[in-house]
């Protein structure tokens, strides 16, 4: 904002050229070359050739109130800063290059004010792992599929001969290049075949299409993007080409291979113009080689370095240090710029010095926490501090976080840095304090930082949060704490959760009960008693009662003084439709209990037999299966319930009933199961029914077990089980089936079984 006010003032002070006619400026013309649609007051982020004004992305730059090209340039640059994530790195680099070589006093001021910001945004964009267009996942998948399709078309055409194949290859290549020029992402990950055909095509462009400026620029950019070592020998000759010198150097830097190091060092000694020199310096920084150190330090001793050139040197020195060359000459050179009047240079110094862990360097960075006034510099410092291993870093971050003058954005950065620091648990109190912030963004950042600390030291985070819950009764804090306990289950939170069950706030109770479900505290009578009361309490919110039921089931614990079983049975038999989910989880919880009474089992059987809600009915059957059914009276009840089912419409439940009876060695289900068999569609259901026949262990059960072999997909399953069957009974059944004239599938199966039985004996 200060930049905008300053430049507006300068424009008014320096001339009276404002008029109804817009006078173009060199910088404005450069931006219009990059974004032709600026003439229509928008930037085509979607690359669809039209203005889009969406809820989450507005392509309109602004409604220009002052028709002045320099002010429009400002508005455009502000728009780019705000929406940088939507721009391909290549486009942002073009904007940066335009700002590095402006013409005219005011344009120079604009370049100085915005050049550093755009450079930082390029680094952020690269850190996102997205060099091209920023696309939502669905659009990204479509774009990648299109790219893969073009590469495959090129590959297929390459294998053929003739004009048709040549035309097919050219069309696919043209479409591919068009997408690359717009910034669409490459397939990820690329197959070896895709990478090979892409590299070959790009290299061929460098060799044969040097008159096609746009194609060569795209090839150079993409070879750098895929870090193609194979492309280096073909890029190197273009370093001396008038049209492609800067782009080829940039490509070599992106590849980062030391193969081009000597060439770039020689080119640097030739004292090229600033644009080329800056790209050489950036490329040397990307390579990170120690051999580049002295030439870069020598440049620092030159007089009257331009701001972009000086910044490029400092950035590259920092990258060389980050690559492993921790030379004290680098730290000494960078430290001199911590007091620079230019925030951009201070940022470069901070970025580079963060690679050093010696006491003197860290002390110089720690001093910035107290004296630095630039928000942008502080944001960089905080971001880099997360990776500096020093015991004073977290306290410094905590002090900045708690300073009332610290902005919201900077506080959020502090929270992220503390959460990600190796010693972050030392700043846990500051993080937890922000859980009750009135700013939603700050609460979210504190929440995420708490999760990060839990990953590094779960015991310490849980203990700190539990202590804070007992002290800080602020509702926002209690809600956030309950959410954290639920998302990060740990037994150390049990006592705090027990107290939180008494909260009057539904959200606190909802997440507290969910946390107890996930922790599964077995044998805790106090918790069981509290949860049991919540299930029975009609005044409790339904979701709280559901979570309480789930927690009781997960604990699987009952006590005569509580009688959880009776509470769950009562809940399972509620009739109102609004209680459907409570009934469902009550049945599920009963399946996790042991030693249920006959009365409870009979009520579950009754639900399984006549309940209209099929999901509840199926859960009742699963509960019966979980607890195991024995005793003639219970089995008769299940058999009776089975007979009342419609085999055509109730196949899922019918199979479960058959399994229950089969497992108990009860063959009363077989008559119904034969009716059920034709309605089974999946091989899984057929296999389950066959297994039920087998488990019955009876003559009729074995016969139907073998008859399931009419489906050839079950042959291996049936023959394998037959090896463990009652041999005498199985042999008798097979002989009877052979005499009754069964079909060919069964005869083949019985032959296989007899062969295996003969072999095993």
């Amino acid at each position: 904002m200060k930049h905008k006010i300053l430049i507006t003032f300068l424009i008014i002070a320096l001339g009276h050229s404002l008029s109804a006619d817009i006078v173009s400026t060199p910088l404005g013309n450069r931006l219009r070359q990059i974004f032709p649609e600026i003439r229509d007051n928008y930037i085509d982020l979607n690359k669809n050739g039209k203005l889009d004004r969406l809820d989450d992305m507005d392509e309109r730059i602004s409604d220009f109130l002052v028709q002045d090209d320099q002010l429009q340039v400002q508005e455009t640059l502000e728009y780019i800063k705000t929406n940088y994530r939507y721009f391909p790195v290549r486009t942002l680099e073009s904007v940066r290059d335009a700002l590095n070589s402006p013409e005219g006093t005011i344009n120079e001021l604009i370049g100085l004010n915005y050049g550093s910001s755009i450079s930082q945004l390029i680094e952020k964009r690269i850190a996102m792992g997205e060099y091209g267009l920023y696309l939502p996942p669905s659009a990204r998948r479509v774009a990648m599929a299109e790219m893969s399709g073009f590469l495959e078309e090129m590959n297929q055409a390459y294998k053929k001969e003739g004009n048709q194949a040549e035309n097919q290859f050219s069309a696919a290549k043209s479409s591919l290049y068009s997408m690359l020029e717009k910034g669409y992402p490459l397939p990820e990950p690329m197959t070896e075949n895709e990478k090979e055909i892409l590299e070959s095509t790009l290299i061929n462009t460098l060799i044969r299409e040097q008159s096609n400026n746009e194609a060569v620029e795209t090839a150079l950019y993409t070879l750098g993007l895929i870090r193609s070592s194979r492309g280096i020998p073909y890029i190197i000759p273009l370093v001396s080409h008038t049209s492609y010198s800067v782009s080829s150097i940039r490509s070599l830097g992106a590849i980062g291979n030391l193969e081009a190091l000597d060439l770039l060092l020689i080119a640097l000694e030739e004292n090229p113009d600033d644009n080329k020199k800056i790209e050489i310096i950036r490329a040397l920084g990307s390579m990170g080689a120690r051999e580049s150190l002295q030439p870069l330090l020598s440049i620092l001793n030159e007089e009257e370095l331009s701001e972009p050139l000086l910044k490029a040197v400092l950035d590259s020195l920092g990258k060389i240090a980050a690559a492993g060359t921790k030379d004290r000459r680098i730290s000494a050179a960078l430290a001199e710029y911590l007091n620079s009047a230019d925030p951009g240079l201070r940022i470069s110094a901070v970025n580079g010095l963060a690679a050093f862990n010696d006491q003197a360097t860290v002390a110089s960075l720690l001093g910035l926490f107290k004296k630095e006034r630039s928000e942008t510099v502080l944001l960089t410092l905080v971001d880099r501090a997360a990776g500096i291993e020093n015991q004073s870093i977290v306290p410094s971050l905590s002090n900045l976080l708690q300073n009332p003058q610290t902005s919201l954005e900077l506080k959020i950065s502090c929270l992220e840095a503390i959460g990600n620091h190796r010693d972050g648990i030392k700043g846990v109190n500051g993080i937890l304090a922000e859980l009750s912030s009135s700013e939603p963004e700050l609460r979210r950042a504190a929440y995420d930082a708490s999760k990060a600390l839990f990953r590094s030291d779960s015991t310490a985070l849980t203990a700190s949060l539990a202590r804070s819950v007992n002290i800080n009764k602020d509702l926002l804090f209690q809600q956030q704490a309950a959410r954290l306990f639920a998302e990060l289950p740990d037994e150390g939170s049990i006592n705090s959760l027990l107290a939180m069950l008494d909260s009057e706030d539904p959200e606190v109770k909802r997440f507290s009960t969910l946390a107890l479900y996930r922790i599964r505290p077995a044998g805790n009578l106090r918790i069981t008693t509290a949860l049991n009361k919540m299930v029975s309490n009609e005044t409790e919110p339904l979701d709280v009662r559901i979570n309480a039921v789930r927690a009781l089931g997960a604990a699987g614990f009952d006590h005569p003084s509580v009688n959880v079983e009776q509470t769950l049975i009562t809940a399972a038999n509620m009739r109102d439709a609004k209680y459907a989910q409570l009934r469902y989880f009550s049945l599920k919880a009963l399946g996790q209990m042991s030693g249920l009474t006959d009365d409870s089992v009979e009520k579950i059987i009754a639900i399984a037999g006549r309940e209209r809600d099929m999901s509840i009915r199926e859960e009742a059957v699963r509960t019966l299966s979980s607890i195991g059914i024995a005793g003639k009276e219970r089995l008769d009840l299940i058999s009776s319930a089975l007979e009342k089912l419609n085999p055509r419409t109730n196949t899922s439940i019918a199979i479960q009933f058959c399994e229950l009876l089969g497992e108990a060695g009860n063959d009363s289900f077989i008559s119904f199961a034969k009716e059920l068999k034709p309605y089974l569609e999946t091989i899984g259901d057929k296999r389950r029914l066959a297994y039920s026949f087998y488990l019955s262990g009876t003559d009729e059960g074995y016969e139907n077990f073998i008859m399931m072999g009419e489906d050839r997909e079950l042959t291996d399953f049936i023959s394998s089980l037959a090896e463990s069957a009652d041999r005498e009974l199985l042999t008798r059944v097979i002989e009877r089936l052979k005499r009754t004239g069964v079909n060919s599938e069964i005869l083949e199966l019985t032959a296989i079984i007899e062969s295996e039985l003969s072999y095993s004996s």
Side-chain angles (χ1 to χ4, degrees), residues 406-535:
T406 302
S407 70
L408 176 63
E409 183 180 3
L410 191 52
K411 282 189 175 185
I412 290 172
S413 293
C414 287
L415 289 167
E416 291 173 354
I418 295 171
N420 293 323
H421 197 277
R422 189 182 68 174
D423 297 328
I425 197 65
K426 294 179 181 178
V428 66
N429 290 335
I431 290 177
L432 296 182
E434 298 300 342
L435 287 175
S436 56
S437 169
S438 59
E439 296 286 350
E441 291 177 345
L442 205 53
R443 291 201 302 273
R444 168 50 59 184
Y447 190 93
D448 291 340
S450 298
K451 287 163 59 178
L453 291 182
F454 184 86
R455 288 191 291 271
S456 62
D457 193 339
S458 60
T459 302
L461 185 278
T462 302
S464 297
L465 185 57
R467 283 194 299 271
S468 296
V469 163
N470 295 331
I471 298 169
N472 188 349
K473 299 304 179 181
D474 177 84
L475 181 57
L476 277 175
F477 177 78
Q478 292 283 318
Q479 289 173 340
Q480 294 292 92
R483 283 175 178 268
L484 280 169
F485 282 144
E487 189 169 350
L488 311 172
D490 188 284
E491 289 189 354
S493 64
I494 287 177
N495 288 333
S496 295
L497 288 168
L498 182 60
M500 295 171 88
L501 293 181
D502 291 329
S503 171
E504 295 182 1
D505 181 64
E507 185 172 330
V508 172
K509 288 192 284 190
R510 178 168 72 252
F511 285 106
S512 297
T513 49
L514 181 60
L516 289 169
Y517 160 68
R518 290 177 173 169
I519 294 171
R520 290 168 160 74
N524 192 311
L525 181 58
R526 293 175 65 202
I527 288 178
T528 301
T529 301
L531 292 171
N532 199 57
K533 288 179 180 178
M534 297 179 94
V535 175

Side-chain angles (χ1 to χ4, degrees), residues 104 127 216 361 458 524 533 601 659 745:
V216 173
T361 301
S458 60
N524 192 311
K533 288 179 180 178
V601 173
E659 288 173 325
E745 287 84 0

Side-chain angles (χ1 to χ4, degrees), residues 187-218:
E188 191 179 272
M190 274 197 292
T191 65
E192 285 299 319
N193 190 52
E194 286 175 335
K195 185 175 181 182
E196 184 176 347
I197 192 69
L198 178 61
E199 276 187 309
S200 298
T201 304
L202 296 170
I203 289 169
N204 187 63
T205 296
L206 299 186
I207 297 171
R208 301 184 181 280
E209 299 183 47
Q210 290 188 17
S211 61
N212 187 340
N213 186 278
E214 200 169 67
V216 173
E217 291 284 354
T218 295

Side-chain angles (χ1 to χ4, degrees), residues 163-206:
N163 291 334
Q164 186 176 355
E166 185 74 26
N167 293 336
Q168 180 185 350
F169 185 93
S170 296
K173 175 192 166 188
S174 177
S175 297
L176 177 71
Y177 272 41
S178 177
M179 293 187 75
L180 288 172
E181 286 161 10
K182 292 177 180 178
Y184 281 97
L186 289 165
E188 191 179 272
M190 274 197 292
T191 65
E192 285 299 319
N193 190 52
E194 286 175 335
K195 185 175 181 182
E196 184 176 347
I197 192 69
L198 178 61
E199 276 187 309
S200 298
T201 304
L202 296 170
I203 289 169
N204 187 63
T205 296
L206 299 186

